[in-house]
Every structure is written in C-alpha cells, then in structure tokens.
Amino acid sequence: MQRSFFGRIAAILATAWLIVQPAQAQSFLGGEFDPAIPTLTDTVGHEPGVQVTSPEEAVAYLRALEKAAPDRMRMVQYATSWEGRPLFYVILTAPENMARLDAVQADLATIAAGRTGNGAALPVTWLAYGVHGDEISSTDASLMTAYHLLAAKDDARAQKILRESIVVLDPMQNPDGRARFVNSFRAALGIEPVADRQSAEHDQPWPGGRFNHYLFDLNRDWFTLSQPETRGKVAAIQAWNPVVVVDVHEMGGDDTYFFSPAAQPVNPNITAAQQRAYEVIGRNNALWFDRMGEPYFTREVYDLFYPGYGDTWNAHQGAIGSTYEQGSARGLVFERRDGSMLTYADGVRNHFVASLSTAEAVAQNAKSFLDEFAAYRAANANGAAGRGSYVIDLGQRRWNAEALGRRLAAQGIAVLRREGPATVCGKSYLNGYLAVPQAQPAARLIRSLLDTDTPLPRDFVTRQEKRRASDLPHELYDVTAWSVGLMSGVDVALCNAAAGGTLLAADAAIAPAAEGAGTFAVAVPWTDSGQARLVTLALRAGLEARMTDKEFTKGGRSFPRGTVVFTRATNGDEAMAYLAALAQEIGANTVALDSSWVEDGPNLGSESFVRLALPRVAMAWDDGISPLSAGSMRYVLEQRLGLPVAPIRTARLAGADLSNYDVLVVPEGSPAGVLGERGMKNLHDFVARGGVLVAVGDSLEAFTSGDAALIAAKREAALGRDPSKKDEGDKSPLAEAKEITTEAEYRTAIQDEQALPDTLPGALLNTVADRDNFLSAGYDAGAVVLASGSQIYTPLDRADGINVLRFAPAGSLIASGYVWDENRRQLAFKPFMMAQRTGKGLTVGFVHDPSTRAFLDGLDLLIANAVLVAPSRVR
C-alpha cells in the first residue's frame, strides 16, 4: 500500500529528474553503476528525492551499503540521541586505504598534535547533514553521496576522491528532530503533494522538527556540549582530525544555494591561509553549479564569527569549516514567490553535487590541504598564537569552574589542574586553579572561548552603524559575546607565565569538598550549580532542609545567604549517609556542623531560616511559546538541577487545574493570544492563591499589561520616542503644517514614535543585585547575563515589587560584546530580574532568558532561586 502511494508521488515529480537519464536512477549524475551496490529503491521502497527518508530507513540503507562494500565503507556509531536513536558516521575510501585505516588515523592524530607525521595520513573531508531535523534534503543527499562513491563505475572523480582522501559522512545529526518532521509531514499528505506554502505539509505543528528532543538548536551547542548528540559528534571529529568540515543545511524556500566563502564578520582567530582555502573549495563548487545552471550566492548572510556553529568551531581547530544552505521545499514540492516550483529532488540533487564537489576539491589538492592543516596545528603548538596560560580560579563557583575545565578538555584542549594554595603571576589561588596553556594546537579556539572579548572588525562595525543611521537593519547574524568564563560566573585571568598542574581528563569526576566532622547537621553553601543540584536531589529523596536568607558565621567561617542546612535529628543517620553519597557523586561542597550555635547571624531556629519543600513545577508548552526557550529552561531545570517539569499546552491553561502545582514557568514567546482572557485570569488566580509564576523574555509583556498586571513595570520605547504622540496625531484628520528644512528634521518627521529599541544581537552585560532579597542569593557581587532583543523595562516602584537584579551603570555595563550606544545608555539601571507579590503568591520576571542555549550555567542559582526556593518563601 505504501509503495503504490509513493509511486503516485514519484510520477507527479517526474519532471524534477531532468539531470537523470535511466529509469529508477539512484544517482543524480548519469553513468554506469555497480548492480552489486544496493539502491535506495531496493532497500526502502522509494527513489532518491521522491520521498523524505525516515531515520529508520536511512540507517537501514546505510547498513545495506556497508554490507555490500565492507572494503570501502564502514559505519561507526558515535552517540545515542535523547530518544534512543543511534547516530552514525560513515567512512568511505578506497580498499587500499581502508586496509590501513588505523595507521592513517594514528598519523592524523600525530599531525593534529603539532608534530611531524610519518607520511601515512590522508586528508579527511567531513560532510555533516541534518543538524536541524526539518532541513530534510541533506540526509537524503548523504545517502546518494555514499551510493555514488561506491557504485559509480566510470566516474574518475569519484575514484580519485576515494583514492586520495577519506570521506566521512555524518548523515543525520538530529534523528529525533527528523523523526518529528517526517511523522507530521507524512500524516499531512493527501493523494498528491501540495505546493502551497500554507498547506499542512509545509506548516509544522509546534515545536517543529528543527530541534532535538530537548528543543535545542544543535548548531549552537558546539562549545557548550550540553546535548549527547553534540558531545558524541565533537569526540568523533577529534578522532579523525578532518581538514575540511561542511555542515549542510536548508534555508527559506525562496532562496537559492549558499556556499563559502562566508559573509563578514569573520572571527579574528581564523587565519589568512584558511580564508584562501575557502576560495579553492568555493570555486570548485561554483564550477559544478554553473554546469547545472543552478544559481547560488556567497559572502552574504552566513558569517564565521560565533564559534558555537559547526563551521566556525571547526575552523578554530584548523579545518576549513563551512556552512552550505539550500532553499528548502519543506516537503516534496514548494511554490516560490516568483511562481517557480522547488522540489525535494532539487534540494537533494544540489546538496549531493556540493558534497561531491567539496570532496573533489580536497582530493585534487590533497597535499596542500593536509600540509596547511599540519602547519596550523604545529604553529599553535609552538606558541605562534600566544604563550602563557589562562588561569581559572577554583575558589569562585568551584563546581562550575571544574565543569568548564572538563568541557574544554572534551574539545581537545589541554587543561591542567593544580590543587591547594598556589600563586601565579602574582595572584594567589587559595583553592587551586585550572590552567589552560596557550601553546597547544587548539590555541585559537582557546583564545576565542576564554578571552573576555572577541572584537568585531572595525570596518564592519562602521558599516553597521551607517546602516542603522539610514534605518536599515544590521547584518549581525548571531551573538557578539560568548566568553565562557563570564557565562559560567568564574574568574579567568590571562597569565604570561606558564602555570603547571596535572592533566585533566574530560570524563574525570568532580571531586567533592566535604569539610568538618560534626554530628549535628550538614550545611550546603549556596555557591554554584553543583550545590543547587545536591539540594534538589536531596529534597526529591525526601530529606528535610532549611535555607537562610541571611549569612551567618560559625567557627570563624562565613556562610553565605542561601545556605541550606540538613539536620541529623530531622533526617536520621540513613538519610544523612545518602546525602553524603549524593554529594560525593555530584562533587558538591558540604560542611559538617557540630551545633546550631553561631557567632553571628541567624540560628537555625530563626525566621530567617525557611523549610524548603520540593516544588511541583509546570511549564507553558506549545503554541505561543518559543521552543528554544522552553527547551533550554526545561533542560536546565531537569538535567542540571534535577527538578522534574510538567509541560502543559498553552491552549489547555485556560481551564487547567493549577492547584496541583507550586510554580508555572512561562518561557519566551507571545502567549497572551493563545491563553485568551480565561487563560490570563487562571494564571492570575494561580498567583493570588499562592503560586509562583516565572515569566521569561518577551512573555513578560503579557503579565505587565492590562488591568490586572502581575508586574507593574512597563516596556520602554526607543530613546527619543514618545508613543503618546501617535495617538494624539491620529485624533485629527489633518496634521499640523510643518516646514522641513534639514536632513535631521526629515529623520525626526519620519521616525516611528512607537518604535522599540534597536534589536541587540546578543552581548554579555553586568548586573547589580538587591542583596536584601532571597531571590539574589548567590549573587552578592551581581551576575553577568546575556541580553538580546529589544525588550527594556522601567524599574519597579518600591511599593510594587523588587528589582532583584538591575543592569549596571552605562559606563560599566558591557562585560563582553558589542552594544549600540543608545541601548547601552537606555539599559543602564533597568531591571533584568523583577519580583512582585499578588495575593499570596509571587510573579518573577526575567527580561532576558537566563537559560539561553544552556550556556549561562553561572545563572543556574538564579533560576533555582525563582523555581526551587521561591515557593517555600511565599507559603
């Protein structure tokens, strides 16, 4: 039944096969093919480009190819997705190369270490597909690339590729997202595919197939390594040290095809030699596309600045990392705005051709690509990119610092660990440090990640400011700041001297810090992510705890606000033993107390100590909510803090019984339209009855407007704008007569009085804490946060609520990145985090998402304060 259905679709799409000669063709290039190599049609029942191949079908076909040609192809599983799907890469090379593959890989590792190889190495071209699950043509293109390289009998280019190089295909980086797309797409199909972009085939239900299970954009996760798909992929790439890495994507269906060279800005850590190599590959791609008569563009839109992408991260390792983008049919056929038809087969063909073209460029220039890669790694190892060390203090957010060191090590970066008191470059590290030497092969990645700031090129900034002055949008594609030390809340210093220590393994357990031998209680200072996880998991196990909102001193030691105390009398010996084991597993810091007597501050019986209870947490989910924000917040709560979350669809919230929950998190989005009046009233009543509502980012606007606003702050217009003027002018059919005599007067006349501040692409900013509120526990010195977008709010009046964290003054606001000057001035002293009581409950508002991409782990305690602690404070 399925076969005949897709057979009808194949007939409808027959016009797409203009480049294919024989019937039942399995390659988009003509020629003679080995019948011993199985075809996609024979294996899964549809021809290439005629149907969107499912994850299971793709794996089945790759296994069939491997079985048919084990001397030229090998499959290696490198990870398992959240939903249990395997992730594979495929090695393709000539039989004589496959026979000595271990020697080739070992020599590549030698070269990557910055040493001279023994001549066994071959250049590796790594082609990665489908990191976004609904960018569908890429995975099918990878299957066709494998087939063509194995089956083409008279293609000298394919033979040269296999003989002179190794091609590694990562055919499906996001199988969970692809499965989500395929399921919704196939469910929407009728008797023939529909080209109308409004049809259900092209309109994915929330959250769409782009994201993985936790709704992460996996192409922003390369240095954060929060997802199993990314961790496996990064380890696999390091095992092969490719000279070229291409990440194959799709873009809007009205676009054509993009390949490198990339747009400006280019990260300053990418070398001139690398930029020349982009030209070599780009020209070969252009040659192939010109032969087909297929339009393309280069040097526009897609830049090489943010190192969290697959292209830029790999470029920082010495490879030629590129993004390729194909206009997407998001189905089998798509009508473009110009009236032309884009088919799925078109996209598969173009990605297939670009894949072969790229591999051909490497094979044709095998020695030069390998030599340039070797020179890059050796120069870095010899200190060409910098000497000395970055030193990470283990006395500040110890667990986060340790976790950061392991994330760096997982990226092939040598990290040294020194325990105990030490002095480096005149600075004392009482609790030891982690040192990251600059003189190592990954030096440029180290600099990009650990430098406080990576500057944008001056000419690029000048051009953007000119565009803005002409009311044109800026051309920044992503964030301008990502300094990992700032985002983890740890101190990183650049020291010109060498700093010693023991090499840290990426999988090394974080050692616990258990202090004291008292029998009365165990204190957990509220200092880092590990501490919050320990408290959460202990509460889930049924232990009882109390938390203080004031610091206290015992035995000459100061315990900060937020310290949690577990008493033996309340919990019993068995539970306390479990707490100790849990702290050991997590690597947390515990301090044993011999009594409740303190020298200064509150005793355990004081009202400053409140009993913590494990909150029941719900999250607004589905339409009106940003999948990225929902995913990252849920991930931080569940996977980092250990707190379960119940997602409730936004359409159900109007009638939902929220009495089952203590906290409702509303991630970024525009939920008001979906919630409606009933839904907004239900949420208001939830707070009034004693619930905690946490509103994030753009969603905050729904709760700061209307007659029953839960937070009495107002969103601001851009500087120099007066929104009331528009309303006044609209009352009269005639406008006041004015003479315009200058360009400046003209600009004033045409400005939108209701315009929001210009959108920030993303910068790290300093904040100041209100130290008298429990929600700022752990942040006495403030916090570094990521601000993006255009939302700026007025501070809360003291009579209404608390500005828990506010942005620093304009002169000290920017921690890292680029901020438009008027935004810098307008953001100063404005709130980042607010809280206001309504009835028995509390609304907490984050103006910007503290969980973004899960790379701001330095804000984990802030999220825990709002979600884990606040419910115990409002009871």
Side-chain angles (χ1 to χ4, degrees):
M1 185 72 180
Q2 184 185 33
R3 202 175 186 118
S4 61
F5 173 77
F6 291 124
R8 292 197 299 272
I9 293 178
I12 293 164
L13 296 178
T15 55
W17 291 80
L18 299 179
I19 198 169
V20 178
Q21 303 302 321
Q24 291 283 303
Q26 300 297 312
S27 173
F28 290 88
L29 297 177
E32 185 181 354
F33 297 93
D34 185 351
I37 302 301
T39 66
L40 186 67
T41 305
D42 292 339
T43 307
V44 305
H46 62 257
E47 296 177 39
V50 171
Q51 166 61 0
V52 183
T53 304
S54 72
E56 294 74 22
E57 290 168 343
V59 171
Y61 182 55
L62 290 170
R63 290 196 184 281
L65 290 177
E66 181 187 38
K67 183 177 180 181
D71 61 331
R72 289 170 288 159
M73 174 173 165
R74 184 180 300 175
M75 285 180 70
V76 178
Q77 183 174 348
Y78 67 78
T80 302
S81 73
W82 284 111
E83 296 178 9
R85 293 182 175 88
L87 287 89
F88 294 93
Y89 64 80
V90 174
I91 304 168
L92 295 161
T93 193
E96 61 271 22
N97 298 332
M98 189 69 78
R100 61 184 188 92
L101 202 59
D102 290 345
V104 173
Q105 189 174 17
D107 200 35
L108 285 168
T110 299
I111 292 170
R115 302 190 298 271
T116 303
N118 60 20
L122 289 169
V124 173
T125 303
W126 190 286
L127 303 172
Y129 306 83
V131 70
H132 298 140
D134 61 355
E135 296 181 359
I136 45 179
S137 61
S138 62
T139 291
D140 272 296
S142 75
L143 304 182
M144 294 306 93
T145 302
Y147 172 80
H148 187 89
L149 289 175
L150 294 174
K153 298 180 69 173
D154 57 355
D155 189 339
R157 293 166 297 189
Q159 294 167 11
K160 185 178 182 66
I161 289 169
L162 295 180
R163 185 176 63 251
E164 301 295 334
S165 69
I166 295 171
V167 175
V168 179
L169 308 178
D170 185 350
M172 192 166 40
Q173 301 175 72
N174 182 5
D176 294 352
R178 186 176 183 86
R180 191 183 308 123
F181 174 87
V182 170
N183 289 340
S184 65
F185 170 72
R186 291 186 177 181
L189 277 175
I191 63 170
E192 67 179 40
V194 179
D196 184 355
R197 68 183 67 208
Q198 302 174 94
S199 68
E201 297 166 35
H202 305 288
D203 185 12
Q204 303 174 61
W206 193 96
R210 180 180 178 88
F211 317 107
N212 76 337
H213 173 79
Y214 262 101
L215 307 187
F216 271 65
D217 183 332
L218 293 176
N219 197 37
R220 271 77 172 170
D221 193 51
W222 280 79
F223 66 73
T224 307
L225 299 178
S226 68
Q227 305 300 294
E229 298 92 339
T230 313
R231 292 192 293 271
K233 175 171 54 185
V234 165
I237 285 178
Q238 289 181 79
W240 280 103
N241 297 295
V243 301
V244 168
V245 177
V246 175
D247 209 4
V248 181
H249 291 256
E250 287 184 342
M251 54 186 165
D254 294 301
D255 295 315
T256 58
Y257 199 95
F258 169 84
F259 49 75
S260 296
Q264 291 291 331
V266 173
N267 192 292
N269 291 297
I270 295 173
T271 68
Q274 287 176 295
Q275 294 191 55
R276 288 192 296 271
Y278 283 108
E279 289 278 345
V280 173
I281 298 173
R283 287 178 181 274
N284 204 55
N285 287 338
L287 184 66
W288 283 61
F289 273 65
D290 287 346
R291 286 176 187 158
M292 292 192 297
E294 190 68 24
Y296 59 86
F297 65 96
T298 64
R299 299 182 180 89
E300 297 179 51
V301 183
Y302 303 103
D303 62 40
L304 274 174
F305 193 64
Y306 169 61
Y309 291 129
D311 53 6
T312 322
W313 185 90
N314 281 287
H316 277 74
Q317 294 279 23
I320 309 306
S322 294
T323 290
Y324 291 178
E325 297 272 356
Q326 161 66 43
S328 178
R330 286 293 193 276
L332 296 179
V333 60
F334 178 85
E335 184 176 4
R336 287 171 155 155
R337 297 195 189 280
D338 64 6
S340 63
M341 293 294 178
L342 172 67
T343 69
Y344 184 58
D346 292 333
V348 176
R349 178 201 61 193
N350 291 346
H351 275 328
F352 161 76
V353 169
S355 298
L356 286 182
S357 171
T358 301
E360 181 190 41
V362 175
Q364 288 175 339
N365 302 276
K367 185 177 185 304
S368 63
F369 272 102
L370 197 57
D371 287 350
E372 288 289 350
F373 178 77
Y376 176 99
R377 303 286 290 189
N380 287 344
N382 293 327
R387 297 188 181 275
S389 301
Y390 292 89
V391 183
I392 303 172
D393 190 354
L394 290 177
Q396 180 179 328
R397 298 211 188 284
R398 180 190 69 92
W399 194 93
N400 296 79
E402 295 274 20
L404 173 58
R406 285 151 179 80
R407 286 199 303 278
L408 294 173
Q411 296 172 65
I413 295 170
V415 179
L416 305 177
R417 188 176 188 277
R418 172 71 182 268
E419 292 191 41
T423 300
V424 179
C425 283
K427 182 175 180 179
S428 296
Y429 295 89
L430 298 179
N431 299 96
Y433 61 75
L434 301 177
V436 185
Q438 287 199 84
Q440 56 176 301
R444 293 178 181 274
L445 178 62
I446 292 166
R447 284 175 53 179
S448 196
L449 296 183
L450 288 174
D451 276 352
T452 299
D453 191 58
T454 300
L456 288 162
R458 186 170 300 176
D459 59 341
F460 177 81
V461 171
T462 300
R463 187 166 76 245
Q464 302 317 302
E465 294 291 3
K466 286 181 179 178
R467 289 180 61 86
R468 295 176 60 246
S470 301
D471 300 321
L472 295 172
H474 66 74
E475 297 171 310
L476 284 161
Y477 192 76
D478 209 286
V479 297
T480 64
W482 53 81
S483 179
V484 293
L486 292 175
M487 293 196 298
S488 291
V490 303
D491 178 71
V492 179
L494 179 56
C495 173
N496 290 326
T502 304
L503 192 65
L504 179 67
D507 59 354
I510 297 176
E515 304 175 44
T519 58
F520 172 72
V522 167
V524 180
W526 199 243
T527 53
D528 56 45
S529 300
Q531 305 298 87
R533 180 171 177 82
L534 174 61
V535 171
T536 302
L537 295 184
L539 292 175
R540 284 180 64 185
L543 274 73
E544 292 189 14
R546 290 182 177 272
M547 179 183 238
T548 175
D549 61 0
K550 294 182 180 179
E551 62 183 70
F552 64 93
T553 304
K554 181 173 176 57
R557 172 176 179 154
S558 178
F559 290 82
R561 294 186 302 131
T563 295
V564 179
V565 177
F566 296 86
T567 63
R568 190 170 297 275
T570 302
N571 291 290
D573 291 342
E574 186 175 342
M576 295 300 282
Y578 177 78
L579 179 67
L582 200 57
Q584 175 81 24
E585 177 186 333
I586 294 169
N589 175 210
T590 56
V591 183
L593 306 177
D594 55 8
S595 73
S596 65
W597 177 260
V598 298
E599 291 91 56
D600 190 28
N603 297 97
L604 189 61
S606 165
E607 65 178 10
S608 295
F609 274 90
V610 173
R611 180 181 174 183
L612 288 180
L614 185 72
R616 299 161 298 177
V617 181
M619 179 179 287
W621 195 257
D622 213 321
D623 291 340
I625 298 296
S626 161
L628 286 170
S629 181
S632 61
M633 183 63 78
R634 187 179 185 185
Y635 171 84
V636 170
L637 290 171
E638 291 191 341
Q639 297 297 325
R640 281 221 290 257
L641 300 181
L643 191 60
V645 173
I648 300 178
R649 301 196 187 279
T650 45
R652 181 177 287 273
L653 281 172
D657 180 5
L658 297 178
S659 64
N660 295 324
Y661 300 98
D662 304 295
V663 182
L664 175 65
V665 180
V666 184
E668 288 222 51
S670 302
V674 181
L675 291 170
E677 290 186 15
R678 285 186 60 217
M680 293 298 293
K681 183 179 185 306
N682 198 21
L683 268 55
H684 188 281
D685 292 347
F686 164 75
V687 175
R689 291 193 301 266
V692 174
L693 187 143
V694 180
V696 179
D698 286 339
S699 289
L700 186 57
E701 193 165 7
F703 305 101
T704 57
S705 57
D707 297 333
L710 291 171
I711 293 186
K714 299 296 181 184
R715 190 168 182 179
E716 294 186 355
L719 282 180
R721 306 296 202 270
D722 183 358
S724 65
K725 287 184 179 179
K726 281 261 178 167
D727 295 334
E728 292 173 2
D730 289 343
K731 294 175 183 177
S732 172
L734 295 175
E736 177 187 357
K738 288 184 178 180
E739 182 180 6
I740 299 176
T741 60
T742 66
E743 178 76 15
E745 290 177 356
Y746 170 72
R747 288 288 170 193
T748 300
I750 67 171
Q751 77 177 5
D752 181 359
E753 294 294 349
Q754 295 179 314
L756 295 171
D758 206 353
T759 299
L760 282 179
L764 293 171
L765 306 181
N766 293 310
T767 62
V768 177
D770 183 328
R771 297 179 59 178
D772 293 326
N773 190 272
F774 74 91
L775 287 167
S776 67
Y779 297 93
D780 285 355
V784 173
V785 305
L786 182 76
S788 60
S790 60
Q791 57 270 31
I792 301 175
Y793 280 83
T794 60
L796 274 177
D797 187 297
R798 189 179 295 277
D800 293 319
I802 300 293
N803 301 295
V804 181
L805 257 70
R806 60 173 170 81
F807 288 110
S812 57
L813 176 67
I814 302 173
S816 179
Y818 191 81
V819 178
W820 318 123
D821 185 64
E822 65 271 24
N823 292 59
R824 178 183 63 85
R825 291 183 283 113
Q826 188 176 355
L827 276 166
F829 296 98
K830 303 298 169 54
F832 169 79
M833 182 184 184
M834 301 174 280
Q836 180 172 327
R837 287 185 174 271
T838 299
K840 298 179 180 179
L842 182 72
T843 301
V844 179
F846 289 99
V847 178
H848 302 272
D849 190 347
S851 71
T852 297
R853 299 181 186 175
F855 61 14
L856 291 155
D857 57 302
L859 300 183
D860 284 357
L861 284 179
L862 207 60
I863 295 172
N865 289 342
V867 180
L868 176 67
V869 179
S872 297
R873 287 285 175 185
V874 299
R875 289 189 177 92

